[in-house]
PDB file of all heavy atoms in Angstrom:
ATOM      1  N   MET A1105      90.759 -42.079  12.494  1.00 86.00           N
ATOM      2  CA  MET A1105      91.254 -41.739  11.165  1.00 86.00           C
ATOM      3  C   MET A1105      90.412 -40.620  10.566  1.00 86.00           C
ATOM      4  O   MET A1105      89.220 -40.459  10.825  1.00 86.00           O
ATOM      5  CB  MET A1105      91.107 -42.997  10.232  1.00 86.00           C
ATOM      6  CG  MET A1105      92.001 -44.106  10.652  1.00 86.00           C
ATOM      7  SD  MET A1105      93.697 -43.905  10.176  1.00 86.00           S
ATOM      8  CE  MET A1105      93.687 -44.652   8.544  1.00 86.00           C
ATOM      9  N   ALA A1106      91.100 -39.839   9.742  1.00 91.00           N
ATOM     10  CA  ALA A1106      90.409 -38.738   9.057  1.00 91.00           C
ATOM     11  C   ALA A1106      90.776 -38.740   7.618  1.00 91.00           C
ATOM     12  O   ALA A1106      91.799 -39.314   7.217  1.00 91.00           O
ATOM     13  CB  ALA A1106      90.723 -37.420   9.732  1.00 91.00           C
ATOM     14  N   ILE A1107      89.959 -38.067   6.817  1.00 92.00           N
ATOM     15  CA  ILE A1107      90.205 -37.961   5.422  1.00 92.00           C
ATOM     16  C   ILE A1107      90.631 -36.561   5.081  1.00 92.00           C
ATOM     17  O   ILE A1107      89.993 -35.567   5.462  1.00 92.00           O
ATOM     18  CB  ILE A1107      89.034 -38.415   4.587  1.00 92.00           C
ATOM     19  CG1 ILE A1107      88.675 -39.848   4.851  1.00 92.00           C
ATOM     20  CG2 ILE A1107      89.309 -38.184   3.057  1.00 92.00           C
ATOM     21  CD1 ILE A1107      87.338 -40.318   4.275  1.00 92.00           C
ATOM     22  N   PHE A1108      91.731 -36.417   4.363  1.00 93.00           N
ATOM     23  CA  PHE A1108      92.268 -35.109   3.964  1.00 93.00           C
ATOM     24  C   PHE A1108      92.194 -34.957   2.481  1.00 93.00           C
ATOM     25  O   PHE A1108      92.458 -35.892   1.738  1.00 93.00           O
ATOM     26  CB  PHE A1108      93.715 -34.930   4.480  1.00 93.00           C
ATOM     27  CG  PHE A1108      93.823 -34.989   5.960  1.00 93.00           C
ATOM     28  CD1 PHE A1108      94.136 -36.238   6.587  1.00 93.00           C
ATOM     29  CD2 PHE A1108      93.633 -33.883   6.734  1.00 93.00           C
ATOM     30  CE1 PHE A1108      94.189 -36.271   7.973  1.00 93.00           C
ATOM     31  CE2 PHE A1108      93.743 -33.922   8.131  1.00 93.00           C
ATOM     32  CZ  PHE A1108      94.009 -35.144   8.766  1.00 93.00           C
ATOM     33  N   LYS A1109      91.856 -33.785   2.016  1.00 94.00           N
ATOM     34  CA  LYS A1109      91.717 -33.583   0.587  1.00 94.00           C
ATOM     35  C   LYS A1109      92.613 -32.416   0.154  1.00 94.00           C
ATOM     36  O   LYS A1109      92.704 -31.380   0.790  1.00 94.00           O
ATOM     37  CB  LYS A1109      90.255 -33.269   0.297  1.00 94.00           C
ATOM     38  CG  LYS A1109      90.013 -33.236  -1.229  1.00 94.00           C
ATOM     39  CD  LYS A1109      88.531 -32.979  -1.547  1.00 94.00           C
ATOM     40  CE  LYS A1109      88.248 -33.064  -3.033  1.00 94.00           C
ATOM     41  NZ  LYS A1109      86.896 -32.769  -3.357  1.00 94.00           N
ATOM     42  N   CYS A1110      93.254 -32.582  -0.996  1.00 96.00           N
ATOM     43  CA  CYS A1110      94.091 -31.557  -1.530  1.00 96.00           C
ATOM     44  C   CYS A1110      93.270 -30.536  -2.209  1.00 96.00           C
ATOM     45  O   CYS A1110      92.423 -30.806  -3.084  1.00 96.00           O
ATOM     46  CB  CYS A1110      95.123 -32.149  -2.517  1.00 96.00           C
ATOM     47  SG  CYS A1110      96.122 -30.934  -3.342  1.00 96.00           S
ATOM     48  N   GLU A1111      93.534 -29.267  -1.841  1.00 95.00           N
ATOM     49  CA  GLU A1111      92.727 -28.142  -2.439  1.00 95.00           C
ATOM     50  C   GLU A1111      93.097 -27.957  -3.907  1.00 95.00           C
ATOM     51  O   GLU A1111      92.382 -27.379  -4.655  1.00 95.00           O
ATOM     52  CB  GLU A1111      93.028 -26.862  -1.615  1.00 95.00           C
ATOM     53  CG  GLU A1111      92.231 -26.804  -0.345  1.00 95.00           C
ATOM     54  CD  GLU A1111      92.496 -25.431   0.319  1.00 95.00           C
ATOM     55  OE1 GLU A1111      93.681 -25.113   0.543  1.00 95.00           O
ATOM     56  OE2 GLU A1111      91.513 -24.766   0.701  1.00 95.00           O
ATOM     57  N   LYS A1112      94.325 -28.309  -4.202  1.00 96.00           N
ATOM     58  CA  LYS A1112      94.852 -28.005  -5.597  1.00 96.00           C
ATOM     59  C   LYS A1112      94.422 -29.038  -6.605  1.00 96.00           C
ATOM     60  O   LYS A1112      93.951 -28.715  -7.654  1.00 96.00           O
ATOM     61  CB  LYS A1112      96.389 -27.911  -5.524  1.00 96.00           C
ATOM     62  CG  LYS A1112      96.825 -26.627  -4.787  1.00 96.00           C
ATOM     63  CD  LYS A1112      98.354 -26.574  -4.735  1.00 96.00           C
ATOM     64  CE  LYS A1112      98.749 -25.361  -3.934  1.00 96.00           C
ATOM     65  NZ  LYS A1112     100.223 -25.267  -3.765  1.00 96.00           N
ATOM     66  N   CYS A1113      94.621 -30.333  -6.289  1.00 97.00           N
ATOM     67  CA  CYS A1113      94.371 -31.330  -7.292  1.00 97.00           C
ATOM     68  C   CYS A1113      93.163 -32.266  -6.920  1.00 97.00           C
ATOM     69  O   CYS A1113      92.768 -33.034  -7.713  1.00 97.00           O
ATOM     70  CB  CYS A1113      95.618 -32.174  -7.546  1.00 97.00           C
ATOM     71  SG  CYS A1113      96.100 -33.268  -6.196  1.00 97.00           S
ATOM     72  N   GLY A1114      92.733 -32.158  -5.680  1.00 96.00           N
ATOM     73  CA  GLY A1114      91.531 -32.921  -5.304  1.00 96.00           C
ATOM     74  C   GLY A1114      91.835 -34.347  -4.884  1.00 96.00           C
ATOM     75  O   GLY A1114      90.926 -35.151  -4.625  1.00 96.00           O
ATOM     76  N   ALA A1115      93.072 -34.658  -4.709  1.00 95.00           N
ATOM     77  CA  ALA A1115      93.444 -36.025  -4.292  1.00 95.00           C
ATOM     78  C   ALA A1115      93.085 -36.154  -2.775  1.00 95.00           C
ATOM     79  O   ALA A1115      93.162 -35.221  -1.991  1.00 95.00           O
ATOM     80  CB  ALA A1115      94.931 -36.254  -4.447  1.00 95.00           C
ATOM     81  N   THR A1116      92.648 -37.384  -2.429  1.00 94.00           N
ATOM     82  CA  THR A1116      92.285 -37.618  -1.066  1.00 94.00           C
ATOM     83  C   THR A1116      93.228 -38.552  -0.413  1.00 94.00           C
ATOM     84  O   THR A1116      93.785 -39.457  -1.065  1.00 94.00           O
ATOM     85  CB  THR A1116      90.863 -38.155  -0.882  1.00 94.00           C
ATOM     86  OG1 THR A1116      90.718 -39.289  -1.772  1.00 94.00           O
ATOM     87  CG2 THR A1116      89.841 -37.077  -1.231  1.00 94.00           C
ATOM     88  N   LYS A1117      93.483 -38.306   0.878  1.00 93.00           N
ATOM     89  CA  LYS A1117      94.387 -39.169   1.619  1.00 93.00           C
ATOM     90  C   LYS A1117      93.809 -39.514   2.975  1.00 93.00           C
ATOM     91  O   LYS A1117      93.181 -38.663   3.589  1.00 93.00           O
ATOM     92  CB  LYS A1117      95.747 -38.552   1.770  1.00 93.00           C
ATOM     93  CG  LYS A1117      96.739 -38.850   0.763  1.00 93.00           C
ATOM     94  CD  LYS A1117      97.986 -39.472   1.424  1.00 93.00           C
ATOM     95  CE  LYS A1117      99.047 -40.029   0.475  1.00 93.00           C
ATOM     96  NZ  LYS A1117      98.544 -41.109  -0.342  1.00 93.00           N
ATOM     97  N   GLU A1118      94.057 -40.683   3.446  1.00 92.00           N
ATOM     98  CA  GLU A1118      93.533 -41.102   4.778  1.00 92.00           C
ATOM     99  C   GLU A1118      94.732 -41.090   5.727  1.00 92.00           C
ATOM    100  O   GLU A1118      95.809 -41.520   5.414  1.00 92.00           O
ATOM    101  CB  GLU A1118      93.017 -42.550   4.686  1.00 92.00           C
ATOM    102  CG  GLU A1118      91.511 -42.651   4.999  1.00 92.00           C
ATOM    103  CD  GLU A1118      91.048 -44.054   4.893  1.00 92.00           C
ATOM    104  OE1 GLU A1118      91.410 -44.861   5.765  1.00 92.00           O
ATOM    105  OE2 GLU A1118      90.343 -44.346   3.951  1.00 92.00           O
ATOM    106  N   GLY A1119      94.462 -40.641   6.925  1.00 91.00           N
ATOM    107  CA  GLY A1119      95.604 -40.690   7.876  1.00 91.00           C
ATOM    108  C   GLY A1119      95.140 -40.178   9.235  1.00 91.00           C
ATOM    109  O   GLY A1119      94.026 -39.638   9.432  1.00 91.00           O
ATOM    110  N   ARG A1120      96.002 -40.380  10.172  1.00 91.00           N
ATOM    111  CA  ARG A1120      95.669 -39.938  11.582  1.00 91.00           C
ATOM    112  C   ARG A1120      95.999 -38.413  11.717  1.00 91.00           C
ATOM    113  O   ARG A1120      95.414 -37.697  12.475  1.00 91.00           O
ATOM    114  CB  ARG A1120      96.474 -40.760  12.600  1.00 91.00           C
ATOM    115  CG  ARG A1120      95.712 -41.977  12.958  1.00 91.00           C
ATOM    116  CD  ARG A1120      96.414 -42.786  13.973  1.00 91.00           C
ATOM    117  NE  ARG A1120      97.701 -43.325  13.508  1.00 91.00           N
ATOM    118  CZ  ARG A1120      98.572 -43.945  14.185  1.00 91.00           C
ATOM    119  NH1 ARG A1120      98.343 -44.156  15.500  1.00 91.00           N
ATOM    120  NH2 ARG A1120      99.629 -44.435  13.703  1.00 91.00           N
ATOM    121  N   CYS A1121      97.054 -37.992  11.070  1.00 90.00           N
ATOM    122  CA  CYS A1121      97.420 -36.571  11.116  1.00 90.00           C
ATOM    123  C   CYS A1121      97.519 -35.948   9.747  1.00 90.00           C
ATOM    124  O   CYS A1121      97.579 -36.639   8.767  1.00 90.00           O
ATOM    125  CB  CYS A1121      98.715 -36.387  11.893  1.00 90.00           C
ATOM    126  SG  CYS A1121     100.022 -37.360  11.185  1.00 90.00           S
ATOM    127  N   LYS A1122      97.447 -34.646   9.691  1.00 91.00           N
ATOM    128  CA  LYS A1122      97.434 -33.911   8.433  1.00 91.00           C
ATOM    129  C   LYS A1122      98.759 -34.071   7.690  1.00 91.00           C
ATOM    130  O   LYS A1122      99.786 -33.824   8.231  1.00 91.00           O
ATOM    131  CB  LYS A1122      97.216 -32.418   8.805  1.00 91.00           C
ATOM    132  CG  LYS A1122      96.931 -31.572   7.542  1.00 91.00           C
ATOM    133  CD  LYS A1122      96.635 -30.143   8.086  1.00 91.00           C
ATOM    134  CE  LYS A1122      96.710 -29.201   6.939  1.00 91.00           C
ATOM    135  NZ  LYS A1122      96.538 -27.810   7.417  1.00 91.00           N
ATOM    136  N   PRO A1123      98.627 -34.504   6.406  1.00 92.00           N
ATOM    137  CA  PRO A1123      99.856 -34.649   5.591  1.00 92.00           C
ATOM    138  C   PRO A1123     100.498 -33.312   5.355  1.00 92.00           C
ATOM    139  O   PRO A1123      99.811 -32.259   5.111  1.00 92.00           O
ATOM    140  CB  PRO A1123      99.362 -35.235   4.304  1.00 92.00           C
ATOM    141  CG  PRO A1123      97.993 -35.732   4.583  1.00 92.00           C
ATOM    142  CD  PRO A1123      97.451 -34.917   5.676  1.00 92.00           C
ATOM    143  N   LYS A1124     101.836 -33.230   5.359  1.00 92.00           N
ATOM    144  CA  LYS A1124     102.512 -31.941   5.173  1.00 92.00           C
ATOM    145  C   LYS A1124     102.436 -31.498   3.723  1.00 92.00           C
ATOM    146  O   LYS A1124     102.377 -30.289   3.434  1.00 92.00           O
ATOM    147  CB  LYS A1124     103.971 -32.044   5.670  1.00 92.00           C
ATOM    148  CG  LYS A1124     104.119 -31.872   7.106  1.00 92.00           C
ATOM    149  CD  LYS A1124     105.564 -31.974   7.597  1.00 92.00           C
ATOM    150  CE  LYS A1124     105.593 -31.919   9.099  1.00 92.00           C
ATOM    151  NZ  LYS A1124     106.956 -32.251   9.597  1.00 92.00           N
ATOM    152  N   LYS A1125     102.466 -32.484   2.863  1.00 94.00           N
ATOM    153  CA  LYS A1125     102.332 -32.085   1.448  1.00 94.00           C
ATOM    154  C   LYS A1125     101.579 -33.169   0.656  1.00 94.00           C
ATOM    155  O   LYS A1125     101.478 -34.323   1.101  1.00 94.00           O
ATOM    156  CB  LYS A1125     103.722 -31.897   0.802  1.00 94.00           C
ATOM    157  CG  LYS A1125     104.669 -33.025   0.955  1.00 94.00           C
ATOM    158  CD  LYS A1125     106.103 -32.667   0.666  1.00 94.00           C
ATOM    159  CE  LYS A1125     106.413 -32.577  -0.769  1.00 94.00           C
ATOM    160  NZ  LYS A1125     107.797 -32.250  -1.121  1.00 94.00           N
ATOM    161  N   CYS A1126     101.089 -32.729  -0.475  1.00 95.00           N
ATOM    162  CA  CYS A1126     100.310 -33.683  -1.291  1.00 95.00           C
ATOM    163  C   CYS A1126     101.261 -34.577  -2.042  1.00 95.00           C
ATOM    164  O   CYS A1126     102.190 -34.063  -2.726  1.00 95.00           O
ATOM    165  CB  CYS A1126      99.396 -32.873  -2.266  1.00 95.00           C
ATOM    166  SG  CYS A1126      98.481 -33.888  -3.384  1.00 95.00           S
ATOM    167  N   THR A1127     101.002 -35.826  -2.029  1.00 92.00           N
ATOM    168  CA  THR A1127     101.873 -36.799  -2.704  1.00 92.00           C
ATOM    169  C   THR A1127     101.547 -36.842  -4.227  1.00 92.00           C
ATOM    170  O   THR A1127     102.333 -37.346  -4.999  1.00 92.00           O
ATOM    171  CB  THR A1127     101.710 -38.208  -2.167  1.00 92.00           C
ATOM    172  OG1 THR A1127     100.371 -38.558  -2.084  1.00 92.00           O
ATOM    173  CG2 THR A1127     102.298 -38.310  -0.702  1.00 92.00           C
ATOM    174  N   ASP A1128     100.391 -36.301  -4.574  1.00 94.00           N
ATOM    175  CA  ASP A1128     100.019 -36.287  -5.992  1.00 94.00           C
ATOM    176  C   ASP A1128     100.583 -35.112  -6.764  1.00 94.00           C
ATOM    177  O   ASP A1128     101.177 -35.308  -7.844  1.00 94.00           O
ATOM    178  CB  ASP A1128      98.467 -36.343  -6.101  1.00 94.00           C
ATOM    179  CG  ASP A1128      97.899 -37.717  -6.070  1.00 94.00           C
ATOM    180  OD1 ASP A1128      98.407 -38.542  -5.241  1.00 94.00           O
ATOM    181  OD2 ASP A1128      97.049 -38.043  -6.855  1.00 94.00           O
ATOM    182  N   CYS A1129     100.306 -33.917  -6.245  1.00 96.00           N
ATOM    183  CA  CYS A1129     100.826 -32.717  -6.979  1.00 96.00           C
ATOM    184  C   CYS A1129     102.013 -32.118  -6.379  1.00 96.00           C
ATOM    185  O   CYS A1129     102.645 -31.178  -6.911  1.00 96.00           O
ATOM    186  CB  CYS A1129      99.665 -31.713  -7.105  1.00 96.00           C
ATOM    187  SG  CYS A1129      99.186 -30.934  -5.577  1.00 96.00           S
ATOM    188  N   GLY A1130     102.368 -32.548  -5.178  1.00 96.00           N
ATOM    189  CA  GLY A1130     103.625 -32.069  -4.549  1.00 96.00           C
ATOM    190  C   GLY A1130     103.470 -30.693  -3.821  1.00 96.00           C
ATOM    191  O   GLY A1130     104.353 -30.180  -3.267  1.00 96.00           O
ATOM    192  N   GLY A1131     102.205 -30.226  -3.812  1.00 95.00           N
ATOM    193  CA  GLY A1131     101.928 -28.923  -3.207  1.00 95.00           C
ATOM    194  C   GLY A1131     102.013 -29.016  -1.699  1.00 95.00           C
ATOM    195  O   GLY A1131     101.687 -30.066  -1.087  1.00 95.00           O
ATOM    196  N   SER A1132     102.473 -27.939  -1.010  1.00 94.00           N
ATOM    197  CA  SER A1132     102.570 -28.008   0.428  1.00 94.00           C
ATOM    198  C   SER A1132     101.490 -27.139   1.059  1.00 94.00           C
ATOM    199  O   SER A1132     101.075 -26.129   0.450  1.00 94.00           O
ATOM    200  CB  SER A1132     104.012 -27.464   0.910  1.00 94.00           C
ATOM    201  OG  SER A1132     104.228 -26.201   0.351  1.00 94.00           O
ATOM    202  N   ASP A1133     101.033 -27.599   2.222  1.00 91.00           N
ATOM    203  CA  ASP A1133     100.006 -26.927   2.952  1.00 91.00           C
ATOM    204  C   ASP A1133      98.686 -26.776   2.158  1.00 91.00           C
ATOM    205  O   ASP A1133      98.003 -25.752   2.263  1.00 91.00           O
ATOM    206  CB  ASP A1133     100.448 -25.485   3.461  1.00 91.00           C
ATOM    207  CG  ASP A1133     101.125 -25.599   4.764  1.00 91.00           C
ATOM    208  OD1 ASP A1133     100.862 -26.587   5.512  1.00 91.00           O
ATOM    209  OD2 ASP A1133     101.869 -24.696   5.093  1.00 91.00           O
ATOM    210  N   CYS A1134      98.409 -27.754   1.324  1.00 94.00           N
ATOM    211  CA  CYS A1134      97.185 -27.633   0.548  1.00 94.00           C
ATOM    212  C   CYS A1134      96.212 -28.731   0.985  1.00 94.00           C
ATOM    213  O   CYS A1134      95.088 -28.832   0.483  1.00 94.00           O
ATOM    214  CB  CYS A1134      97.443 -27.773  -0.941  1.00 94.00           C
ATOM    215  SG  CYS A1134      98.298 -29.247  -1.422  1.00 94.00           S
ATOM    216  N   MET A1135      96.609 -29.561   1.954  1.00 95.00           N
ATOM    217  CA  MET A1135      95.717 -30.656   2.407  1.00 95.00           C
ATOM    218  C   MET A1135      94.763 -30.140   3.479  1.00 95.00           C
ATOM    219  O   MET A1135      95.214 -29.609   4.498  1.00 95.00           O
ATOM    220  CB  MET A1135      96.611 -31.809   3.025  1.00 95.00           C
ATOM    221  CG  MET A1135      97.592 -32.425   2.013  1.00 95.00           C
ATOM    222  SD  MET A1135      96.879 -33.073   0.526  1.00 95.00           S
ATOM    223  CE  MET A1135      96.166 -34.589   1.114  1.00 95.00           C
ATOM    224  N   ILE A1136      93.492 -30.264   3.223  1.00 94.00           N
ATOM    225  CA  ILE A1136      92.497 -29.801   4.168  1.00 94.00           C
ATOM    226  C   ILE A1136      91.667 -30.999   4.646  1.00 94.00           C
ATOM    227  O   ILE A1136      91.511 -31.988   3.957  1.00 94.00           O
ATOM    228  CB  ILE A1136      91.535 -28.742   3.569  1.00 94.00           C
ATOM    229  CG1 ILE A1136      90.903 -29.257   2.251  1.00 94.00           C
ATOM    230  CG2 ILE A1136      92.272 -27.421   3.404  1.00 94.00           C
ATOM    231  CD1 ILE A1136      89.733 -28.411   1.800  1.00 94.00           C
ATOM    232  N   LYS A1137      91.264 -30.907   5.926  1.00 92.00           N
ATOM    233  CA  LYS A1137      90.524 -32.025   6.537  1.00 92.00           C
ATOM    234  C   LYS A1137      89.158 -32.115   5.880  1.00 92.00           C
ATOM    235  O   LYS A1137      88.416 -31.104   5.861  1.00 92.00           O
ATOM    236  CB  LYS A1137      90.411 -31.780   7.997  1.00 92.00           C
ATOM    237  CG  LYS A1137      90.026 -33.079   8.756  1.00 92.00           C
ATOM    238  CD  LYS A1137      89.829 -32.737  10.200  1.00 92.00           C
ATOM    239  CE  LYS A1137      90.248 -33.869  11.113  1.00 92.00           C
ATOM    240  NZ  LYS A1137      90.097 -33.543  12.527  1.00 92.00           N
ATOM    241  N   LYS A1138      88.821 -33.207   5.370  1.00 89.00           N
ATOM    242  CA  LYS A1138      87.578 -33.435   4.720  1.00 89.00           C
ATOM    243  C   LYS A1138      86.472 -33.966   5.759  1.00 89.00           C
ATOM    244  O   LYS A1138      85.400 -33.367   5.869  1.00 89.00           O
ATOM    245  CB  LYS A1138      87.702 -34.396   3.602  1.00 89.00           C
ATOM    246  CG  LYS A1138      86.521 -34.294   2.523  1.00 89.00           C
ATOM    247  CD  LYS A1138      86.724 -35.368   1.440  1.00 89.00           C
ATOM    248  CE  LYS A1138      85.449 -35.473   0.577  1.00 89.00           C
ATOM    249  NZ  LYS A1138      85.479 -36.724  -0.126  1.00 89.00           N
ATOM    250  N   GLU A1139      86.802 -35.010   6.402  1.00 79.00           N
ATOM    251  CA  GLU A1139      85.877 -35.538   7.341  1.00 79.00           C
ATOM    252  C   GLU A1139      86.515 -36.553   8.296  1.00 79.00           C
ATOM    253  O   GLU A1139      87.538 -37.126   7.979  1.00 79.00           O
ATOM    254  CB  GLU A1139      84.704 -36.259   6.582  1.00 79.00           C
ATOM    255  CG  GLU A1139      85.202 -37.400   5.752  1.00 79.00           C
ATOM    256  CD  GLU A1139      83.980 -38.065   5.010  1.00 79.00           C
ATOM    257  OE1 GLU A1139      83.165 -38.713   5.635  1.00 79.00           O
ATOM    258  OE2 GLU A1139      83.939 -37.848   3.785  1.00 79.00           O
ATOM    259  N   GLU A1140      85.904 -36.636   9.485  1.00 75.00           N
ATOM    260  CA  GLU A1140      86.395 -37.662  10.366  1.00 75.00           C
ATOM    261  C   GLU A1140      85.847 -38.988   9.946  1.00 75.00           C
ATOM    262  O   GLU A1140      84.689 -39.040   9.574  1.00 75.00           O
ATOM    263  CB  GLU A1140      85.867 -37.305  11.808  1.00 75.00           C
ATOM    264  CG  GLU A1140      86.405 -36.042  12.376  1.00 75.00           C
ATOM    265  CD  GLU A1140      87.771 -36.321  13.004  1.00 75.00           C
ATOM    266  OE1 GLU A1140      88.175 -37.451  13.119  1.00 75.00           O
ATOM    267  OE2 GLU A1140      88.417 -35.332  13.444  1.00 75.00           O
ATOM    268  N   LYS A1141      86.626 -39.992  10.088  1.00 66.00           N
ATOM    269  CA  LYS A1141      86.124 -41.301   9.755  1.00 66.00           C
ATOM    270  C   LYS A1141      85.637 -41.985  10.987  1.00 66.00           C
ATOM    271  O   LYS A1141      86.386 -42.161  11.964  1.00 66.00           O
ATOM    272  CB  LYS A1141      87.187 -42.083   9.006  1.00 66.00           C
ATOM    273  CG  LYS A1141      86.720 -43.274   8.302  1.00 66.00           C
ATOM    274  CD  LYS A1141      87.774 -43.970   7.460  1.00 66.00           C
ATOM    275  CE  LYS A1141      87.097 -44.998   6.525  1.00 66.00           C
ATOM    276  NZ  LYS A1141      88.124 -45.691   5.730  1.00 66.00           N
ATOM    277  N   ALA A1142      84.436 -42.403  11.006  1.00 64.00           N
ATOM    278  CA  ALA A1142      83.845 -43.072  12.182  1.00 64.00           C
ATOM    279  C   ALA A1142      84.507 -44.429  12.337  1.00 64.00           C
ATOM    280  O   ALA A1142      84.636 -45.201  11.395  1.00 64.00           O
ATOM    281  CB  ALA A1142      82.328 -43.276  11.952  1.00 64.00           C
ATOM    282  N   SER A1143      84.938 -44.718  13.561  1.00 63.00           N
ATOM    283  CA  SER A1143      85.604 -45.979  13.771  1.00 63.00           C
ATOM    284  C   SER A1143      84.587 -47.098  13.845  1.00 63.00           C
ATOM    285  O   SER A1143      83.511 -46.950  14.433  1.00 63.00           O
ATOM    286  CB  SER A1143      86.359 -45.908  15.077  1.00 63.00           C
ATOM    287  OG  SER A1143      85.557 -45.563  16.153  1.00 63.00           O
ATOM    288  N   GLY A1144      84.894 -48.206  13.124  1.00 60.00           N
ATOM    289  CA  GLY A1144      83.975 -49.327  13.223  1.00 60.00           C
ATOM    290  C   GLY A1144      82.969 -49.348  12.084  1.00 60.00           C
ATOM    291  O   GLY A1144      82.428 -50.343  11.764  1.00 60.00           O
ATOM    292  N   CYS A1145      82.711 -48.222  11.487  1.00 61.00           N
ATOM    293  CA  CYS A1145      81.713 -48.147  10.410  1.00 61.00           C
ATOM    294  C   CYS A1145      82.422 -47.639   9.129  1.00 61.00           C
ATOM    295  O   CYS A1145      82.793 -46.444   8.991  1.00 61.00           O
ATOM    296  CB  CYS A1145      80.601 -47.171  10.816  1.00 61.00           C
ATOM    297  SG  CYS A1145      79.329 -47.033   9.560  1.00 61.00           S
ATOM    298  N   GLY A1146      82.611 -48.537   8.218  1.00 62.00           N
ATOM    299  CA  GLY A1146      83.328 -48.231   6.987  1.00 62.00           C
ATOM    300  C   GLY A1146      82.635 -47.219   6.039  1.00 62.00           C
ATOM    301  O   GLY A1146      83.232 -46.604   5.256  1.00 62.00           O
ATOM    302  N   CYS A1147      81.286 -47.108   6.210  1.00 65.00           N
ATOM    303  CA  CYS A1147      80.553 -46.264   5.276  1.00 65.00           C
ATOM    304  C   CYS A1147      80.637 -44.784   5.686  1.00 65.00           C
ATOM    305  O   CYS A1147      80.207 -43.952   4.933  1.00 65.00           O
ATOM    306  CB  CYS A1147      79.138 -46.714   5.189  1.00 65.00           C
ATOM    307  SG  CYS A1147      78.094 -46.374   6.619  1.00 65.00           S
ATOM    308  N   GLY A1148      81.094 -44.529   6.860  1.00 62.00           N
ATOM    309  CA  GLY A1148      81.230 -43.113   7.291  1.00 62.00           C
ATOM    310  C   GLY A1148      79.926 -42.463   7.769  1.00 62.00           C
ATOM    311  O   GLY A1148      79.903 -41.279   8.041  1.00 62.00           O
ATOM    312  N   CYS A1149      78.906 -43.219   7.906  1.00 64.00           N
ATOM    313  CA  CYS A1149      77.653 -42.651   8.407  1.00 64.00           C
ATOM    314  C   CYS A1149      77.703 -42.490   9.925  1.00 64.00           C
ATOM    315  O   CYS A1149      78.564 -43.051  10.593  1.00 64.00           O
ATOM    316  CB  CYS A1149      76.473 -43.564   8.114  1.00 64.00           C
ATOM    317  SG  CYS A1149      76.440 -45.028   8.989  1.00 64.00           S
ATOM    318  N   LYS A1150      76.896 -41.560  10.397  1.00 65.00           N
ATOM    319  CA  LYS A1150      76.940 -41.292  11.860  1.00 65.00           C
ATOM    320  C   LYS A1150      75.831 -41.995  12.613  1.00 65.00           C
ATOM    321  O   LYS A1150      75.607 -41.733  13.804  1.00 65.00           O
ATOM    322  CB  LYS A1150      76.902 -39.782  12.048  1.00 65.00           C
ATOM    323  CG  LYS A1150      78.227 -39.144  11.746  1.00 65.00           C
ATOM    324  CD  LYS A1150      78.057 -37.609  11.667  1.00 65.00           C
ATOM    325  CE  LYS A1150      79.401 -37.022  11.237  1.00 65.00           C
ATOM    326  NZ  LYS A1150      79.216 -35.562  10.938  1.00 65.00           N
ATOM    327  N   ALA A1151      75.127 -42.826  11.937  1.00 59.00           N
ATOM    328  CA  ALA A1151      74.023 -43.538  12.642  1.00 59.00           C
ATOM    329  C   ALA A1151      74.491 -44.543  13.620  1.00 59.00           C
ATOM    330  O   ALA A1151      75.429 -45.232  13.352  1.00 59.00           O
ATOM    331  CB  ALA A1151      73.152 -44.237  11.545  1.00 59.00           C
ATOM    332  N   LYS A1152      73.862 -44.522  14.726  1.00 58.00           N
ATOM    333  CA  LYS A1152      74.187 -45.505  15.785  1.00 58.00           C
ATOM    334  C   LYS A1152      73.231 -46.663  15.769  1.00 58.00           C
ATOM    335  O   LYS A1152      72.028 -46.492  15.650  1.00 58.00           O
ATOM    336  CB  LYS A1152      74.128 -44.864  17.202  1.00 58.00           C
ATOM    337  CG  LYS A1152      75.300 -43.907  17.384  1.00 58.00           C
ATOM    338  CD  LYS A1152      75.226 -43.243  18.740  1.00 58.00           C
ATOM    339  CE  LYS A1152      76.329 -42.208  18.894  1.00 58.00           C
ATOM    340  NZ  LYS A1152      76.160 -41.365  20.088  1.00 58.00           N
ATOM    341  N   LYS A1153      73.838 -47.818  15.851  1.00 54.00           N
ATOM    342  CA  LYS A1153      72.988 -49.005  15.794  1.00 54.00           C
ATOM    343  C   LYS A1153      72.866 -49.672  17.151  1.00 54.00           C
ATOM    344  O   LYS A1153      73.747 -49.627  17.920  1.00 54.00           O
ATOM    345  CB  LYS A1153      73.618 -50.047  14.807  1.00 54.00           C
ATOM    346  CG  LYS A1153      73.399 -49.572  13.380  1.00 54.00           C
ATOM    347  CD  LYS A1153      74.022 -50.553  12.384  1.00 54.00           C
ATOM    348  CE  LYS A1153      73.873 -49.971  10.911  1.00 54.00           C
ATOM    349  NZ  LYS A1153      74.647 -50.779  10.026  1.00 54.00           N
TER     350      LYS A1153
HETATM  351 ZN1   ZN B 445      97.527 -32.185  -4.671  1.00 59.61          ZN
END
C-alpha cells in the first residue's frame, strides 16, 4: 500500500495504485505518491524488529 497526496487540495488517499483523480477537489493528475506504507507496521517506520 502507498499513500498518495493531492497537490491541489492536500487530501491524502491510500491505495495500491495511483488514483486518476482526486475525490476531494475533482482535479485530475494531481495525485502524487507520498510514501510507501510498510506492510505489517502501521506506524510507517522503517525500523526492523
Ligand atoms: Zn484534491
